[in-house]
Coordinates of all heavy atoms in Angstrom, one line a residue:
M378 N -3.1 -67.0 -9.5 CA -2.2 -66.4 -8.5 C -0.8 -66.3 -9.1 O 0.0 -67.1 -9.1 CB -2.1 -67.4 -7.3 CG -3.4 -67.5 -6.5 SD -3.7 -66.1 -5.5 CE -2.6 -66.5 -4.1
D379 N -0.6 -65.2 -9.8 CA 0.7 -65.0 -10.4 C 1.1 -63.5 -10.4 O 1.1 -62.9 -11.4 CB 0.6 -65.5 -11.9 CG 2.0 -65.7 -12.4 OD1 3.0 -65.6 -11.6 OD2 2.2 -65.9 -13.6
H380 N 1.3 -63.0 -9.2 CA 1.8 -61.6 -9.1 C 3.3 -61.7 -9.1 O 3.9 -61.7 -8.1 CB 1.3 -60.9 -7.9 CG 0.2 -61.5 -7.1 ND1 -1.1 -61.1 -7.3 CD2 0.2 -62.4 -6.2 CE1 -1.8 -61.8 -6.5 NE2 -1.1 -62.6 -5.8
T381 N 3.8 -61.7 -10.3 CA 5.3 -61.7 -10.3 C 5.8 -60.3 -10.3 O 6.8 -60.0 -9.6 CB 5.8 -62.4 -11.6 OG1 4.9 -62.2 -12.6 CG2 6.0 -63.9 -11.3
Q382 N 5.2 -59.4 -11.0 CA 5.7 -58.0 -11.1 C 4.9 -57.0 -10.3 O 4.1 -56.3 -10.8 CB 5.8 -57.6 -12.5 CG 6.6 -58.5 -13.4 CD 8.1 -58.2 -13.3 OE1 8.5 -57.3 -12.6 NE2 8.9 -59.0 -13.9
T383 N 5.1 -57.0 -9.0 CA 4.6 -55.8 -8.3 C 5.6 -54.7 -8.3 O 6.8 -55.0 -8.5 CB 4.3 -56.2 -6.8 OG1 5.4 -57.0 -6.3 CG2 3.0 -57.0 -6.7
Q384 N 5.2 -53.5 -8.1 CA 6.1 -52.4 -8.1 C 6.9 -52.3 -6.7 O 6.8 -51.3 -6.0 CB 5.4 -51.1 -8.4 CG 4.9 -51.1 -9.8 CD 5.4 -49.8 -10.5 OE1 5.9 -48.9 -9.9 NE2 5.2 -49.8 -11.8
H385 N 7.5 -53.4 -6.4 CA 8.2 -53.4 -5.1 C 9.6 -53.8 -5.3 O 9.9 -54.6 -6.2 CB 7.4 -54.5 -4.3 CG 7.2 -54.0 -2.9 ND1 8.1 -54.2 -1.9 CD2 6.2 -53.3 -2.3 CE1 7.6 -53.7 -0.8 NE2 6.5 -53.1 -1.0
G386 N 10.5 -53.3 -4.5 CA 11.8 -53.8 -4.5 C 12.6 -53.2 -5.6 O 13.8 -53.6 -5.8
S387 N 12.1 -52.1 -6.2 CA 12.9 -51.5 -7.3 C 13.1 -50.0 -6.9 O 12.6 -49.1 -7.6 CB 12.3 -51.6 -8.6 OG 11.0 -51.1 -8.6
Q388 N 13.8 -49.8 -5.8 CA 14.1 -48.4 -5.5 C 15.5 -48.2 -5.7 O 16.4 -48.7 -5.1 CB 13.8 -48.2 -4.0 CG 12.3 -48.2 -3.7 CD 12.0 -48.3 -2.2 OE1 12.9 -48.6 -1.4 NE2 10.8 -48.0 -1.9
P389 N 15.8 -47.4 -6.8 CA 17.2 -47.3 -7.3 C 18.2 -46.8 -6.2 O 19.3 -47.3 -6.2 CB 17.0 -46.3 -8.4 CG 15.7 -45.8 -8.4 CD 14.9 -46.6 -7.5
D390 N 17.8 -45.8 -5.4 CA 18.8 -45.3 -4.5 C 18.5 -45.6 -3.1 O 18.8 -44.9 -2.2 CB 18.9 -43.8 -4.7 CG 17.5 -43.1 -4.5 OD1 16.5 -43.8 -4.3 OD2 17.5 -41.9 -4.6
S391 N 17.9 -46.8 -2.8 CA 17.6 -47.1 -1.5 C 18.8 -47.5 -0.7 O 18.9 -47.4 0.5 CB 16.6 -48.3 -1.4 OG 17.2 -49.4 -2.1
N392 N 19.8 -47.9 -1.4 CA 21.0 -48.3 -0.8 C 22.2 -47.3 -0.8 O 23.3 -47.6 -0.7 CB 21.5 -49.7 -1.4 CG 22.0 -50.6 -0.3 OD1 22.0 -50.3 0.9 ND2 22.6 -51.7 -0.8
Q393 N 21.8 -46.1 -1.1 CA 22.8 -45.1 -1.3 C 23.0 -44.2 -0.1 O 22.1 -43.4 0.2 CB 22.4 -44.2 -2.5 CG 23.5 -43.5 -3.1 CD 23.0 -42.6 -4.3 OE1 22.2 -41.8 -4.1 NE2 23.6 -42.9 -5.5
A394 N 24.0 -44.5 0.7 CA 24.2 -43.7 1.9 C 24.7 -42.3 1.6 O 25.4 -42.1 0.6 CB 25.1 -44.4 2.8
H395 N 24.4 -41.4 2.4 CA 24.8 -40.0 2.1 C 26.4 -40.0 2.3 O 27.1 -39.5 1.5 CB 24.2 -39.0 3.2 CG 22.8 -39.0 3.1 ND1 22.0 -37.8 3.2 CD2 21.8 -40.0 2.9 CE1 20.8 -38.1 3.1 NE2 20.6 -39.4 3.0
A396 N 26.8 -40.5 3.4 CA 28.2 -40.6 3.7 C 28.4 -41.7 4.6 O 27.6 -42.0 5.5 CB 28.7 -39.3 4.3
S397 N 29.5 -42.4 4.4 CA 29.8 -43.5 5.3 C 30.5 -43.0 6.6 O 31.6 -42.4 6.4 CB 30.5 -44.6 4.6 OG 31.5 -44.1 3.8
R398 N 30.0 -43.3 7.7 CA 30.7 -43.0 8.9 C 31.1 -44.2 9.6 O 30.3 -44.8 10.4 CB 29.8 -42.1 9.8 CG 29.4 -40.8 9.2 CD 28.4 -40.1 10.1 NE 27.2 -40.8 10.4 CZ 26.1 -40.7 9.7 NH1 26.1 -40.0 8.6 NH2 25.1 -41.4 10.0
P399 N 32.3 -44.7 9.3 CA 32.7 -46.1 9.7 C 32.6 -46.3 11.2 O 32.1 -47.4 11.7 CB 34.1 -46.1 9.3 CG 34.3 -45.0 8.3 CD 33.3 -44.0 8.7
K400 N 33.0 -45.4 12.1 CA 33.1 -45.7 13.5 C 31.9 -45.2 14.3 O 32.0 -45.1 15.5 CB 34.4 -45.1 14.0 CG 34.4 -43.6 14.0 CD 35.4 -43.0 14.9 CE 35.2 -41.5 15.1 NZ 36.1 -40.9 16.1
A401 N 30.9 -44.9 13.7 CA 29.7 -44.4 14.4 C 28.7 -45.5 14.8 O 28.1 -46.0 13.9 CB 29.1 -43.3 13.6
S402 N 28.7 -45.8 16.0 CA 27.6 -46.7 16.5 C 26.4 -45.9 16.8 O 25.3 -46.3 17.0 CB 28.1 -47.5 17.7 OG 28.5 -46.7 18.7
V403 N 26.7 -44.6 17.0 CA 25.6 -43.6 17.2 C 25.2 -42.9 16.0 O 26.1 -42.5 15.2 CB 26.0 -42.6 18.3 CG1 25.0 -41.5 18.4 CG2 26.2 -43.3 19.6
D404 N 23.9 -42.9 15.7 CA 23.5 -42.2 14.5 C 23.3 -40.7 14.8 O 22.3 -40.3 15.4 CB 22.1 -42.7 14.0 CG 21.7 -42.1 12.7 OD1 22.4 -41.2 12.2 OD2 20.6 -42.5 12.2
I405 N 24.3 -39.9 14.5 CA 24.3 -38.5 14.9 C 23.3 -37.7 14.1 O 23.1 -36.5 14.4 CB 25.7 -37.9 14.7 CG1 26.3 -38.1 13.3 CG2 26.7 -38.5 15.8 CD1 27.6 -37.3 13.1
E406 N 22.7 -38.3 13.1 CA 21.6 -37.6 12.4 C 20.4 -37.6 13.3 O 19.5 -36.7 13.2 CB 21.2 -38.3 11.1 CG 22.4 -38.5 10.2 CD 23.1 -37.3 9.7 OE1 22.4 -36.3 9.4 OE2 24.3 -37.2 9.7
K407 N 20.3 -38.5 14.2 CA 19.1 -38.7 15.1 C 19.4 -38.7 16.6 O 18.5 -38.7 17.4 CB 18.4 -40.0 14.7 CG 17.8 -39.9 13.3 CD 16.9 -41.2 13.1 CE 16.2 -41.1 11.8 NZ 16.8 -42.0 10.8
Q408 N 20.7 -38.8 16.9 CA 21.1 -38.9 18.3 C 22.1 -37.8 18.6 O 22.7 -37.2 17.8 CB 21.7 -40.3 18.5 CG 20.7 -41.4 18.4 CD 21.3 -42.8 18.5 OE1 21.7 -43.4 17.6 NE2 21.4 -43.2 19.8
C409 N 22.2 -37.6 19.9 CA 23.0 -36.5 20.5 C 24.4 -36.5 19.9 O 24.8 -35.5 19.3 CB 22.9 -36.6 22.0 SG 23.9 -35.4 22.8
G410 N 25.2 -37.5 20.2 CA 26.5 -37.7 19.6 C 27.6 -36.9 20.3 O 28.7 -36.9 19.9
V411 N 27.3 -36.2 21.4 CA 28.3 -35.5 22.1 C 29.3 -36.4 22.7 O 28.9 -37.4 23.3 CB 27.7 -34.5 23.1 CG1 28.7 -33.9 24.0 CG2 26.8 -33.5 22.5
P412 N 30.6 -36.2 22.6 CA 31.6 -37.1 23.2 C 31.4 -37.2 24.7 O 31.2 -36.2 25.4 CB 32.9 -36.5 22.8 CG 32.6 -35.6 21.7 CD 31.2 -35.1 21.9
L413 N 31.5 -38.4 25.2 CA 31.4 -38.7 26.7 C 32.8 -38.9 27.2 O 33.7 -39.2 26.5 CB 30.5 -39.9 26.9 CG 29.1 -39.8 26.3 CD1 28.4 -41.2 26.4 CD2 28.3 -38.8 27.1
P414 N 32.9 -38.7 28.5 CA 34.2 -39.0 29.2 C 34.8 -40.4 28.8 O 36.0 -40.6 28.8 CB 33.9 -38.8 30.6 CG 32.7 -37.9 30.7 CD 31.9 -38.3 29.5
S415 N 33.9 -41.3 28.6 CA 34.3 -42.7 28.3 C 34.9 -42.8 26.9 O 35.5 -43.9 26.6 CB 33.1 -43.6 28.5 OG 32.2 -43.3 27.5
G416 N 34.7 -41.8 26.1 CA 35.2 -41.9 24.8 C 34.2 -42.2 23.8 O 34.3 -42.1 22.6
A417 N 33.0 -42.7 24.3 CA 31.9 -43.0 23.4 C 31.2 -41.7 23.1 O 31.5 -40.6 23.6 CB 31.0 -44.0 24.0
Q418 N 30.1 -41.8 22.3 CA 29.3 -40.7 22.0 C 28.0 -40.9 22.7 O 27.5 -42.0 22.8 CB 29.1 -40.5 20.5 CG 30.3 -40.0 19.7 CD 30.1 -40.0 18.2 OE1 29.9 -41.0 17.6 NE2 30.0 -38.7 17.7
C419 N 27.4 -39.8 23.1 CA 26.1 -39.8 23.7 C 25.0 -40.4 22.8 O 24.9 -39.9 21.6 CB 25.7 -38.4 24.1 SG 24.1 -38.4 25.0
A420 N 24.3 -41.4 23.2 CA 23.4 -42.1 22.4 C 22.0 -41.7 22.6 O 21.0 -42.3 22.2 CB 23.6 -43.6 22.5
R421 N 21.8 -40.6 23.4 CA 20.5 -40.1 23.6 C 20.0 -39.5 22.3 O 20.7 -39.3 21.4 CB 20.4 -39.1 24.7 CG 20.6 -39.8 26.1 CD 21.1 -38.8 27.1 NE 21.6 -39.5 28.3 CZ 20.9 -39.9 29.3 NH1 19.6 -39.6 29.3 NH2 21.4 -40.5 30.3
S422 N 18.7 -39.1 22.3 CA 18.2 -38.5 21.1 C 18.7 -37.1 20.9 O 19.4 -36.5 21.8 CB 16.6 -38.5 21.2 OG 16.2 -37.6 22.2
L423 N 18.4 -36.5 19.8 CA 18.8 -35.1 19.5 C 18.3 -34.2 20.6 O 18.8 -33.1 20.8 CB 18.3 -34.7 18.2 CG 19.0 -35.3 17.0 CD1 18.3 -34.7 15.7 CD2 20.5 -34.9 17.0
T424 N 17.2 -34.6 21.3 CA 16.6 -33.7 22.3 C 17.2 -33.9 23.6 O 16.7 -33.4 24.6 CB 15.1 -33.9 22.4 OG1 14.9 -35.3 22.6 CG2 14.4 -33.5 21.1
C425 N 18.3 -34.7 23.7 CA 19.1 -34.9 24.9 C 19.2 -33.7 25.8 O 19.6 -32.6 25.3 CB 20.4 -35.5 24.6 SG 21.6 -35.5 25.9
T426 N 18.9 -33.8 27.0 CA 18.9 -32.6 27.9 C 20.2 -32.6 28.7 O 20.4 -31.6 29.4 CB 17.7 -32.7 28.9 OG1 17.7 -33.9 29.6 CG2 16.4 -32.4 28.2
R427 N 21.0 -33.6 28.6 CA 22.3 -33.6 29.3 C 23.3 -32.7 28.7 O 24.3 -32.2 29.3 CB 22.9 -35.0 29.4 CG 22.1 -35.8 30.3 CD 23.0 -36.9 30.9 NE 22.3 -37.7 31.9 CZ 22.8 -38.7 32.5 NH1 24.0 -39.1 32.3 NH2 22.1 -39.4 33.4
H428 N 23.2 -32.5 27.4 CA 24.1 -31.7 26.7 C 23.4 -30.5 26.1 O 22.3 -30.6 25.6 CB 24.8 -32.6 25.6 CG 25.5 -33.8 26.2 ND1 25.1 -35.0 26.0 CD2 26.7 -33.8 26.9 CE1 25.9 -35.9 26.7 NE2 26.9 -35.1 27.2
G429 N 24.2 -29.4 26.1 CA 23.6 -28.2 25.6 C 23.6 -28.1 24.0 O 24.3 -28.9 23.4
F430 N 23.0 -27.1 23.5 CA 22.9 -27.0 22.1 C 24.3 -26.7 21.5 O 24.7 -27.2 20.5 CB 22.0 -25.8 21.7 CG 20.6 -26.1 21.6 CD1 20.1 -27.2 22.4 CD2 19.8 -25.5 20.7 CE1 18.7 -27.5 22.3 CE2 18.4 -25.9 20.6 CZ 17.9 -26.9 21.4
A431 N 25.1 -26.0 22.3 CA 26.5 -25.6 21.8 C 27.3 -26.9 21.6 O 28.0 -27.1 20.6 CB 27.2 -24.7 22.7
A432 N 27.2 -27.8 22.6 CA 28.0 -29.1 22.5 C 27.5 -29.9 21.3 O 28.2 -30.5 20.6 CB 27.8 -29.9 23.8
K433 N 26.1 -30.0 21.1 CA 25.6 -30.8 20.0 C 25.9 -30.2 18.7 O 26.1 -30.9 17.7 CB 24.1 -30.9 20.3 CG 23.8 -31.9 21.4 CD 22.3 -32.2 21.6 CE 21.8 -31.4 22.7 NZ 20.4 -31.8 23.0
R434 N 25.9 -28.9 18.6 CA 26.3 -28.2 17.4 C 27.8 -28.5 17.0 O 28.1 -28.5 15.9 CB 26.1 -26.7 17.4 CG 24.7 -26.3 17.3 CD 24.5 -24.8 17.2 NE 23.2 -24.3 17.4 CZ 22.7 -23.6 18.4 NH1 23.5 -23.2 19.3 NH2 21.4 -23.3 18.4
A435 N 28.6 -28.7 18.0 CA 30.0 -28.9 17.8 C 30.3 -30.3 17.4 O 31.5 -30.6 17.0 CB 30.8 -28.6 19.1
V436 N 29.4 -31.2 17.4 CA 29.6 -32.6 17.0 C 29.9 -32.6 15.5 O 29.1 -32.2 14.7 CB 28.4 -33.5 17.3 CG1 28.7 -34.9 16.8 CG2 28.2 -33.6 18.8
P437 N 31.1 -33.2 15.1 CA 31.4 -33.2 13.7 C 30.7 -34.3 12.9 O 30.3 -35.3 13.6 CB 32.9 -33.4 13.7 CG 33.2 -34.1 14.9 CD 32.1 -33.7 15.9
G438 N 30.5 -34.1 11.7 CA 30.1 -35.2 10.8 C 28.6 -35.3 10.5 O 28.1 -36.1 9.8
R439 N 27.8 -34.3 11.1 CA 26.4 -34.3 10.8 C 26.2 -33.9 9.3 O 27.0 -33.1 8.8 CB 25.7 -33.4 11.7 CG 25.8 -33.8 13.2 CD 24.6 -33.2 13.9 NE 24.9 -32.9 15.3 CZ 24.6 -33.8 16.3 NH1 24.1 -34.9 16.0 NH2 24.9 -33.5 17.6
S440 N 25.1 -34.4 8.7 CA 24.9 -34.0 7.3 C 24.2 -32.7 7.2 O 24.2 -32.1 6.1 CB 24.0 -35.1 6.7 OG 22.7 -35.0 7.3
A441 N 23.7 -32.1 8.3 CA 23.1 -30.8 8.3 C 23.3 -30.2 9.7 O 23.7 -30.9 10.6 CB 21.6 -31.0 8.0
P442 N 23.2 -28.9 9.7 CA 23.3 -28.3 11.0 C 22.4 -28.9 12.1 O 21.3 -29.3 11.8 CB 22.9 -26.8 10.8 CG 23.1 -26.6 9.3 CD 22.9 -27.9 8.7
F443 N 22.9 -28.9 13.3 CA 22.1 -29.6 14.4 C 20.7 -29.0 14.5 O 19.8 -29.8 14.6 CB 22.8 -29.3 15.7 CG 22.0 -29.7 16.9 CD1 21.8 -31.0 17.2 CD2 21.4 -28.8 17.7 CE1 21.0 -31.4 18.3 CE2 20.6 -29.1 18.7 CZ 20.4 -30.5 19.0
D444 N 20.6 -27.8 14.3 CA 19.2 -27.2 14.5 C 18.3 -27.7 13.4 O 17.1 -27.9 13.7 CB 19.3 -25.6 14.3 CG 20.3 -25.1 15.4 OD1 21.5 -25.2 15.2 OD2 19.8 -24.5 16.4
Q445 N 18.8 -27.9 12.2 CA 18.0 -28.4 11.1 C 17.6 -29.9 11.4 O 16.4 -30.3 11.2 CB 18.8 -28.3 9.8 CG 17.9 -28.6 8.6 CD 18.7 -28.5 7.3 OE1 19.6 -27.5 7.3 NE2 18.6 -29.3 6.4
L446 N 18.6 -30.7 11.9 CA 18.3 -32.1 12.2 C 17.3 -32.2 13.3 O 16.4 -33.0 13.3 CB 19.6 -32.8 12.6 CG 20.6 -33.0 11.4 CD1 21.9 -33.6 12.0 CD2 20.0 -33.9 10.3
L447 N 17.4 -31.3 14.3 CA 16.5 -31.3 15.4 C 15.1 -30.9 14.9 O 14.1 -31.6 15.3 CB 17.0 -30.3 16.4 CG 16.1 -30.2 17.7 CD1 16.0 -31.5 18.4 CD2 16.6 -29.1 18.6
A448 N 15.0 -30.0 14.1 CA 13.7 -29.6 13.5 C 13.0 -30.8 12.8 O 11.8 -31.1 12.9 CB 13.8 -28.4 12.6
E449 N 13.8 -31.5 12.0 CA 13.3 -32.6 11.2 C 13.0 -33.8 12.2 O 12.0 -34.4 12.0 CB 14.4 -33.1 10.2 CG 14.4 -32.2 9.0 CD 15.6 -32.5 8.1 OE1 16.2 -33.5 8.3 OE2 15.9 -31.6 7.3
Y450 N 13.8 -33.9 13.2 CA 13.5 -35.0 14.2 C 12.2 -34.7 14.9 O 11.4 -35.6 15.1 CB 14.7 -35.0 15.2 CG 14.5 -36.0 16.3 CD1 14.9 -37.3 16.2 CD2 13.9 -35.6 17.5 CE1 14.8 -38.2 17.2 CE2 13.8 -36.5 18.6 CZ 14.2 -37.8 18.4 OH 14.1 -38.7 19.4
R451 N 12.0 -33.5 15.3 CA 10.7 -33.2 15.9 C 9.5 -33.3 15.0 O 8.4 -33.7 15.4 CB 10.8 -31.7 16.5 CG 11.7 -31.7 17.7 CD 11.7 -30.3 18.3 NE 12.2 -30.3 19.7 CZ 12.9 -29.3 20.2 NH1 13.1 -28.2 19.6 NH2 13.3 -29.4 21.5
R452 N 9.7 -33.0 13.8 CA 8.6 -33.1 12.8 C 8.3 -34.5 12.6 O 7.1 -34.9 12.4 CB 9.1 -32.4 11.5 CG 7.9 -32.1 10.6 CD 8.4 -31.4 9.3 NE 9.3 -30.3 9.6 CZ 10.4 -30.0 8.9 NH1 10.8 -30.7 7.9 NH2 11.1 -28.9 9.3
A453 N 9.3 -35.4 12.6 CA 9.0 -36.8 12.3 C 8.4 -37.5 13.5 O 7.8 -38.6 13.3 CB 10.4 -37.5 11.9
S454 N 8.6 -37.0 14.7 CA 8.1 -37.8 15.8 C 6.8 -37.3 16.3 O 6.1 -36.5 15.7 CB 9.1 -37.7 17.0 OG 9.5 -36.4 17.2
Ligands
ZN1669 ZN1 23.7 -36.0 25.0

């Protein structure tokens, strides 16, 4: 019983974030992110029906256009 070297735990870029978004409690890559009257961001999914596409496209800081993230979100789920 001596499996010391499995090919596990050696992912070079696993800890490499695309960009750090310090004040985001909402993951705008996967969540709506539209600003709410309270000052927070909408934490619903990208498919949130409360906010229109225009509002979601206007959310700053996404790594890709909203439509692209939405397409990936739908593909993943
Ligand atoms: Zn929303």
Side-chain angles (χ1 to χ4, degrees):
M378 293 284 281
D379 195 10
H380 346 263
T381 34
Q382 299 283 355
T383 44
Q384 292 236 346
H385 223 271
S387 58
Q388 292 166 343
D390 55 357
S391 61
N392 217 8
Q393 200 179 61
H395 301 219
S397 42
R398 296 180 300 273
K400 66 161 192 177
S402 55
V403 170
D404 183 358
I405 56 173
E406 309 296 316
K407 295 187 173 104
Q408 293 175 267
C409 177
V411 172
L413 301 172
S415 66
Q418 288 178 291
C419 180
R421 288 161 195 272
S422 71
L423 285 178
T424 55
C425 167
T426 53
R427 288 206 175 180
H428 300 107
F430 276 32
K433 287 184 257 189
R434 284 188 189 117
V436 174
R439 299 201 207 268
S440 67
F443 169 74
D444 302 74
Q445 189 178 321
L446 292 173
L447 180 62
E449 283 167 17
Y450 178 86
R451 284 185 165 149
R452 199 179 306 140
S454 53

